[in-house]
Amino acid sequence: MIVILQPHVTRHTPEFQSILHVIAQLHNIEAKVHEVVGAQQTLTEIYLVGDTASVDSEILRNTPGVERVVRISREYRILGRHHDDLRAGGFDYNGIRFGQDNLNVFAGLCAVNTRDDVELMMRACRDHHLQCTRMGAYKPRTNPYSFQGHGADCLPYVFELAGKYGIRVIAMEVTHEKHVDEINQALATAGEPTGIMLQIGTRNTQNFELLKAVGRQNKFPVLLKRGFGITLEESLNAAEYLASEGNSRVVFGLRGMKTNMGDPHRNFVDFAHIPVLKRLTRMPVCIDPSHSVGSRESAPDGIMDAIHVTAQGVIAGANMILVDFHPHPECALVDGPQALQLAELPYFLEDVAISRKAYEQRVALAASYACTPP
Ligand code: PEP
Ligand code: MN
């Protein structure tokens, strides 16, 4: 059960103590205070843990300072969307809104190779009004002899260039908690010119110790990729690990499932789960067409499969696109064959805009029919 407090009530206001007092009278109930930090204000919620079935929610609802009481119906206590739960969810980070109602494009390098390529990529983002990018420094590779990423060595120039080109958020995968410290340190040395969204890749979706460590820090939001060979429910529980440790600024990423049934795509594209995720949780939903499709193959209509699936995701309401671009895909050290070229960026963005507009029209259409009695 979640007791949502009125916006002006915080740990420091008198109503808060009275509400805690009411909760203390309940049998076998423990209270956990959770603060949702937004750009304008911090909202306070109190999670009741224990024998909540016997709690009369009316008592709490009538306590001064309480906005609403939500009975939790699912396992994902913090990130889940519960019965009658219309809370918006999402978060603001470094001036960018991440929610279930908007869309951000993260076009960038799967793996950082050279300073020049980082600069070309970021300049292209700036020229096309993108304030977000992806930059892989720590790469989890199947083969131990493959390039493992430049790691901490590339962070100084990546962050400096991000500042130069107005990049506000970089999605960057971490595979070990020490990477978070390295990123934090390098950002501080560079003077905090940009923000980072820590990415937990599909190979680490159930690395519970990494989830706990990343969940314990509150500086950076997290993009959690769905595990490629586990159920949706298992991946959602992984996301809840982050929130249960204190970090509920989580974006959930779809990147395809590993099965030969998806051949010839690299993974079986799972973007049909976008509405399901929005129904079950309050997390913004990201799609990764590059790792889903894994190639630059096109249909006879002249549109690449990766761009077709991007459109399918956006028209179904995706909130973030993580997509591989590269100034010279033939020289990319990781995943060159699936990278789009910089010259294709304006075309890609125009195609995304068409699908986004269609999605907005579909939402308006659904609303207009909902108002019309059958
Ligand atoms: C990536 O985005 O670079 C990546 C490795 O993705 P995934 O974890 O989905 O394979
Ligand atoms: Mn990759």
Side-chain angles (χ1 to χ4, degrees), residues 110 139 291 324 334-335 338:
C110 176
K139 298 305 300 177
H291 290 82
D324 290 1
V334 183
D335 285 347
Q338 72 191 25

Side-chain angles (χ1 to χ4, degrees), residues 110 134 139-140 173 199 201-203 225 255 288 291 322:
C110 176
R134 55 162 296 152
K139 298 305 300 177
E173 181 163 359
Q199 184 178 322
T202 197
R203 293 159 186 79
K225 295 260 195 113
R255 47 81 70 210
D288 179 340
H291 290 82
L322 189 75

Side-chain angles (χ1 to χ4, degrees), residues 114-130:
T114 64
R115 181 188 167 105
D116 284 351
D117 283 346
V118 171
E119 178 145 27
L120 287 171
M121 186 70 236
M122 290 187 177
R123 185 183 298 148
C125 287
R126 188 218 35 209
D127 291 349
H128 295 96
H129 314 290
L130 296 181

Side-chain angles (χ1 to χ4, degrees), residues 59-352:
I59 298 176
L60 290 161
R61 209 166 273 133
N62 293 330
T63 306
V66 172
E67 173 116 343
R68 233 147 17 92
V69 178
V70 173
R71 270 199 190 275
I72 291 179
S73 45
R74 295 178 201 286
E75 284 305 294
Y76 332 121
R77 289 186 189 168
I78 301 173
L79 296 172
R81 187 177 288 293
H82 307 290
H83 184 60
D84 288 338
D85 182 0
L86 295 175
R87 287 175 296 164
F91 55 89
D92 292 278
Y93 174 63
N94 212 23
I96 307 282
R97 173 77 196 149
F98 293 92
Q100 283 193 338
D101 292 327
N102 70 338
L103 175 64
N104 291 297
V105 178
F106 283 59
L109 306 181
C110 176
V112 169
N113 54 333
T114 64
R115 181 188 167 105
D116 284 351
D117 283 346
V118 171
E119 178 145 27
L120 287 171
M121 186 70 236
M122 290 187 177
R123 185 183 298 148
C125 287
R126 188 218 35 209
D127 291 349
H128 295 96
H129 314 290
L130 296 181
Q131 292 181 299
C132 302
T133 187
R134 55 162 296 152
M135 290 284 147
Y138 308 96
K139 298 305 300 177
R141 305 305 304 280
T142 304
N143 184 329
Y145 306 114
S146 303
F147 172 64
Q148 304 283 310
H150 287 311
D153 292 347
C154 68
L155 300 181
Y157 64 80
V158 169
F159 295 163
E160 176 209 321
L161 291 167
K164 178 170 173 188
Y165 290 103
I167 301 293
R168 304 194 73 92
V169 187
I170 304 174
M172 184 174 279
E173 181 163 359
V174 290
T175 60
H176 191 280
E177 73 174 287
K178 76 172 187 218
H179 300 155
V180 183
D181 297 333
E182 289 174 4
I183 289 171
N184 213 352
Q185 184 58 50
L187 269 180
T189 307
E192 309 284 338
T194 188
I196 299 293
M197 180 177 282
L198 299 175
Q199 184 178 322
I200 296 189
T202 197
R203 293 159 186 79
N204 277 311
T205 308
Q206 283 189 315
N207 180 341
F208 299 117
E209 295 311 316
L210 179 63
L211 293 171
K212 285 187 213 167
V214 168
R216 276 194 297 271
Q217 62 78 42
N218 249 307
K219 179 169 176 185
F220 306 114
V222 186
L223 167 62
L224 176 73
K225 295 260 195 113
R226 175 188 195 162
F228 56 36
I230 57 177
T231 64
L232 185 62
E233 191 183 349
E234 286 163 335
S235 289
L236 291 177
N237 272 300
E240 188 71 15
Y241 258 91
L242 295 161
S244 72
E245 292 291 327
N247 191 348
S248 53
R249 293 187 296 169
V250 185
V251 176
F252 190 85
L254 296 172
R255 47 81 70 210
M257 304 301 293
K258 199 174 195 65
T259 157
N260 290 345
M261 301 299 164
D263 291 356
H265 289 164
R266 183 173 174 181
N267 289 289
F268 196 94
V269 184
D270 53 353
F271 300 168
H273 274 160
I274 293 165
V276 178
L277 288 162
K278 290 186 171 184
R279 180 163 72 240
L280 295 179
T281 81
R282 293 177 298 125
M283 288 184 278
V285 183
C286 173
I287 53 169
D288 179 340
S290 307
H291 290 82
S292 296
V293 168
S295 78
R296 294 175 47 85
E297 293 290 328
S298 296
D301 58 16
I303 302 175
M304 275 184 245
D305 294 13
I307 296 184
H308 267 303
V309 301
T310 303
Q312 290 158 15
V314 172
I315 207 166
N319 305 115
M320 172 169 159
I321 305 171
L322 189 75
V323 55
D324 290 1
F325 271 80
H326 201 285
H328 326 280
E330 64 291 353
C331 304
L333 296 173
V334 183
D335 285 347
Q338 72 191 25
L340 301 180
Q341 293 166 4
L342 290 195
E344 291 163 337
L345 183 56
Y347 156 59
F348 179 83
L349 294 174
E350 248 186 81
D351 195 80
V352 165

